[in-house]
Amino acid sequence: MPVSADREELFELRVERRRRDLVEALETLYGHDAALPLADRLVGLAHEAFVQRPHDLHVLDIRRSLQPDWLQLPGMVGYAAYTERFADNLRGVEDKIPYLRELGVTYLHLMPLLEPRVGDNDGGYAVRDYRAVRSDLGTVDDLRDLATTLRENGMSLVLDLVLNHVAREHDWAVRARAGEKHYQDYFHVYPDRTQPDAYERTLPEVFPDFAPGNFSWDEELQQWVWTTFNAWQWDLDWSNPDVLVEFAEIILFLANLGVEVLRLDAIAFLWKRMGTTCQNEPEVHAVTQVLKTVARIACPALAFKAEAIVAPHDLVQYLGAGRHHGKVSDLAYHNTLMVQIWSMLATADARLAAHTLERLPRAPSSAAWITYVRCHDDIGWAITDEDTSGVGLSGYHHRRFLSDWYSGLFPGSTAHGLVFQENPATGDRRISGTTAALTGLSAAGRPDEIDDALGRFFLTHAIVYAWGGIPVVWSGDELGMANDPDWAAEQGHETDNRWAHRPRLDWRRAEQRHDRRTVAGRVFSGLAHLAGVRSSLPHLHASVRSEVLPVEDGGVLAIVRRAPIGAMVCLYNITPETRPYPAWRIQELGLPEPWDAISERLVEPDADGSYWLTPYAAWWLIERPDAG
């Protein structure tokens, strides 16, 4: 397909701008001699995709280039769902776009929908074909149509790209088992246990209950295969450049369908090195830089999101640090914030959260966090002994307390979560459950119980909506849905209680979303209100840092965002009691007459100079709108 001279010139300018980034990363991975021919090969793939890219997506590329901070804007609000559990299929999702618009959604993450293996497939993360859609959800054409319609409605489509492994049934693995050496080299395979045992000495287990160990014997192949997650998920060998080229092609294919963000699943696991945990190896960032650079040349509207649930110091690297600054992922999950929110609610004490969050490395100003209260996964208590000791707590006992609290075992707890993957050796117990279950909303009966639970529910969301970045609501939470009591009834779900917090959306309940007399109506309207207020506040641009203020009262978390337009102070009462906060602290930050943007009212101190926050109150304080 021929392209115009000016468009061809645009491509050449992009290559000229990005080629050095491409070659440098390839040299890190494969050495100097291999880098140049590999770069030429990848630029050729990029050119082919550029030529085939539809006109409307070329226009989108230009629009994103003119507004490179599009993911950082306060108007960005996300929603995540399994297609079949939200609206049956892709065409059904298209029909529900008005519903999402009511909620203020501009970023729609549909969980794995590329064709997986038949049977148990880790929720779709065992992909059999990256260029096909699950037949029960629709076709590639349906996916392209959905992406187009979403874009016309101001929404960006987000999909998962599983990088670490493929299904045992994927064509590469099938051909490897058939004896093709070229495809056996795509994987880590071993004739005996010598090397696997050497690796296992330093490797953690991801699923110790149902997938212990990191290697599986394959009868057909008659070799041991590296399988970090499950025996039917074969880890890829990214030290083989052919694997990288294959994924560059896949990325370009998905981008040309109209996908705007790719969630890079299990990215921390890509590079294997003996004597390490085989997570967060520096080559991972070089791999991402190569893939990002190819996308910037062919389809710069495409953004990357790193799915790396790792220690904070390691996490910032995925957003681009040092020589990778601005060259890798645009988004990353703020797992620490999520964990600290639940910790605060259980303890009614903000000191650990304040201590931990203030010590986090600063994210690059060009990137953004994904903030969330809940996601499709379980909650692991990623709270270090170092953090807890800083406020006089025991890490082991605090993590144990949180598991007791959110599984409803601790006296006084209102939570109704489920224990997931208990490890007797370490005492580790992760937690499953919807936000309504974990805040006690789903079991609340009396009006005062409902009010308290709704207070906790909105408090959690107010924190993530105002942290900066893109807040993402997990499907069903916008209606306050409870755990699915029949989660184990579906085939393949019997041993995985994470499906309890992945209920099929109750569309009869959704019909109540405009009725403020119902819980569903109060939750939906409340989240829609937060989205609307958020979009009006330049203070919430993701390039502005959230700074934790000194703890004045253990029951109040205080955050300041020093935006060019002026300061914004967020106060969160994480307790069921009314708590004070000193007025002088707010005034010192440049807000003599603070206005709460959520309630649209002026807040005033009492005679002693304190602001009083009602139980579970959330205030977003800015300069009084008519002050100037």
Side-chain angles (χ1 to χ4, degrees):
M1 181 189 301
V3 296
S4 62
D6 59 340
R7 185 163 287 181
E8 188 67 37
E9 183 178 11
L10 174 62
F11 179 82
E12 293 300 329
L13 288 170
R14 288 182 187 164
V15 174
E16 180 183 334
R17 171 69 178 84
R18 303 295 178 189
R19 186 177 179 86
R20 186 66 246 164
D21 293 340
L22 187 62
V23 172
E24 284 180 353
L26 289 170
E27 287 177 337
T28 297
L29 295 168
Y30 309 114
H32 176 75
D33 291 343
L36 291 178
L38 261 176
D40 290 339
R41 187 177 171 189
L42 290 166
V43 169
L45 292 176
H47 186 264
E48 183 179 346
F50 176 84
V51 170
Q52 296 172 353
R53 193 158 171 79
H55 174 73
D56 61 328
L57 294 178
H58 277 296
V59 173
L60 181 67
D61 290 334
I62 294 171
R63 180 174 289 119
R64 298 300 192 223
S65 297
L66 293 172
Q67 192 174 43
D69 64 342
W70 65 282
L71 286 169
Q72 298 180 296
L73 299 176
M76 293 299 294
V77 173
Y79 187 88
Y82 284 98
T83 302
E84 72 278 13
R85 304 179 91 75
F86 175 64
D88 294 333
N89 52 43
L90 293 172
R91 292 195 177 277
V93 174
E94 197 167 337
D95 293 338
K96 301 302 183 184
I97 287 176
Y99 173 86
L100 295 172
R101 291 188 65 176
E102 284 183 38
L103 198 58
V105 173
T106 57
Y107 167 108
L108 177 62
H109 179 187
L110 295 179
M111 300 299 287
L113 51 76
L114 301 179
E115 185 178 322
R117 71 188 297 269
V118 176
D120 194 0
N121 52 50
D122 190 22
Y125 288 103
V127 179
R128 195 187 74 81
D129 188 346
Y130 288 91
R131 291 178 171 83
V133 171
R134 275 174 43 188
S135 58
D136 61 317
L137 301 182
T139 66
V140 167
D141 287 337
D142 292 333
L143 183 61
R144 181 187 292 108
D145 291 344
L146 175 60
T148 301
T149 306
L150 286 170
R151 191 162 58 252
E152 292 169 349
N153 283 271
M155 297 183 202
S156 299
L157 178 61
V158 185
L159 292 189
D160 289 83
L161 181 65
V162 184
L163 296 175
N164 179 67
H165 48 263
V166 296
R168 183 180 182 273
E169 294 76 12
H170 190 284
D171 183 61
W172 303 338
V174 170
R175 296 175 74 169
R177 293 199 306 278
E180 293 189 44
K181 181 66 166 56
H182 176 77
Y183 288 101
Q184 288 181 3
D185 289 343
Y186 277 32
F187 303 98
H188 302 270
V189 296
Y190 307 94
D192 56 45
R193 285 291 308 190
T194 303
Q195 283 192 280
D197 286 344
Y199 275 112
E200 286 282 22
R201 293 188 188 106
T202 55
L203 291 177
E205 292 179 310
V206 176
F207 296 133
D209 279 6
F210 51 74
N214 290 273
F215 298 86
S216 303
W217 175 258
D218 190 87
E219 282 292 338
E220 192 174 349
L221 185 64
Q222 285 293 295
Q223 296 203 68
W224 290 92
V225 183
W226 198 315
T227 56
T228 297
F229 292 89
N230 288 285
W232 30 262
Q233 287 170 299
W234 285 21
D235 284 36
L236 292 156
D237 185 353
W238 281 83
S239 70
N240 180 348
D242 287 337
V243 171
L244 182 143
V245 172
E246 294 272 18
F247 273 92
E249 288 190 87
I250 292 166
I251 287 169
L252 295 171
F253 168 77
L254 295 172
N256 276 0
L257 292 180
V259 177
E260 294 188 36
V261 181
L262 285 174
R263 174 185 177 274
L264 306 181
D265 180 70
I267 188 173
F269 295 83
L270 297 192
W271 205 265
K272 318 300 189 187
R273 178 169 281 116
M274 185 74 75
T276 73
T277 62
C278 294
Q279 295 186 46
N280 304 314
E281 292 302 296
E283 289 84 356
V284 168
H285 308 301
V287 167
T288 314
Q289 181 169 316
V290 171
L291 299 176
K292 178 69 174 178
T293 303
V294 171
R296 280 179 155 175
I297 292 171
C299 45
L302 181 70
F304 284 178
K305 174 171 60 173
E307 190 269 330
I309 308 303
V310 297
H313 174 76
D314 294 322
L315 181 57
V316 173
Q317 310 300 314
Y318 290 85
L319 290 174
R323 61 195 177 97
H324 299 296
H325 179 81
K327 301 175 184 178
V328 286
S329 294
D330 309 275
L331 302 164
Y333 288 91
H334 204 323
N335 183 63
T336 299
L337 178 64
M338 181 270 293
V339 169
Q340 290 299 333
I341 288 172
W342 291 114
S343 176
M344 283 191 295
L345 271 191
T347 61
D349 192 326
R351 287 174 295 175
L352 174 60
H355 173 75
T356 303
L357 294 169
E358 184 54 26
R359 293 171 65 245
L360 292 179
R362 185 167 185 171
S365 61
S366 59
W369 293 115
I370 296 292
T371 58
Y372 56 107
V373 172
R374 250 261 50 101
C375 69
H376 75 287
D377 223 339
D378 56 278
I379 299 175
W381 302 117
I383 297 174
T384 67
D385 292 345
E386 181 184 5
D387 285 336
T388 52
S389 65
V391 292
L393 296 175
S394 158
Y396 173 81
H397 288 103
H398 185 62
R399 292 186 293 270
R400 182 175 180 137
F401 159 72
L402 292 175
S403 294
D404 285 348
W405 182 271
Y406 285 107
S407 58
L409 295 176
F410 197 88
S413 170
T414 58
H416 294 81
L418 305 172
V419 172
F420 177 73
Q421 290 284 316
E422 181 171 3
N423 187 330
T426 64
D428 181 48
R429 287 174 294 154
R430 287 129 74 179
I431 296 294
S432 299
T434 65
T435 301
L438 299 185
T439 56
L441 179 59
S442 58
R446 301 192 312 268
D448 61 315
E449 292 176 337
I450 294 172
D451 286 345
D452 279 352
L454 282 171
R456 292 188 289 270
F457 190 101
F458 286 120
L459 176 68
T460 62
H461 286 84
I463 295 173
V464 301
Y465 270 60
W467 190 264
I470 304 176
V472 176
V473 175
W474 179 252
S475 182
D477 277 355
E478 78 279 13
L479 299 172
M481 289 182 61
N483 286 342
D484 181 358
D486 301 318
W487 62 268
E490 292 188 44
Q491 185 176 2
H493 297 180
E494 300 87 350
T495 61
D496 188 348
N497 66 25
R498 291 175 298 179
W499 289 102
H501 59 247
R502 303 166 182 170
R504 295 182 183 276
L505 197 80
D506 185 346
W507 286 103
R508 287 180 297 180
R509 187 178 179 89
E511 292 174 0
Q512 303 172 2
R513 67 186 183 276
H514 299 134
D515 186 351
R516 295 295 300 273
R517 296 169 299 178
T518 66
V519 167
R522 292 170 72 179
V523 171
F524 189 93
S525 61
L527 294 185
H529 177 65
L530 285 180
V533 175
R534 170 185 159 81
S535 68
S536 72
L537 297 174
H539 315 72
L540 293 177
H541 191 281
S543 63
V544 178
R545 183 188 180 200
S546 282
E547 302 173 40
V548 181
L549 292 171
V551 176
E552 304 288 346
D553 180 296
V556 178
L557 178 70
I559 306 295
V560 62
R561 296 177 59 80
R562 304 177 197 270
I565 195 173
M568 174 180 181
V569 178
C570 302
L571 299 181
Y572 303 111
N573 179 359
I574 57 168
T575 79
E577 304 168 351
T578 300
R579 305 298 285 232
Y581 195 81
W584 68 264
R585 175 71 73 180
I586 306 299
Q587 293 164 2
E588 183 182 67
L589 292 167
L591 298 174
E593 294 183 292
W595 177 269
D596 177 24
I598 295 178
S599 62
E600 298 181 318
R601 67 181 181 89
L602 189 68
V603 297
E604 298 183 273
D606 66 5
D608 294 328
S610 294
Y611 296 115
W612 287 89
L613 291 89
T614 55
Y616 304 119
W619 291 358
W620 294 353
L621 303 179
I622 59 173
E623 184 180 11
R624 184 174 178 173
D626 58 359

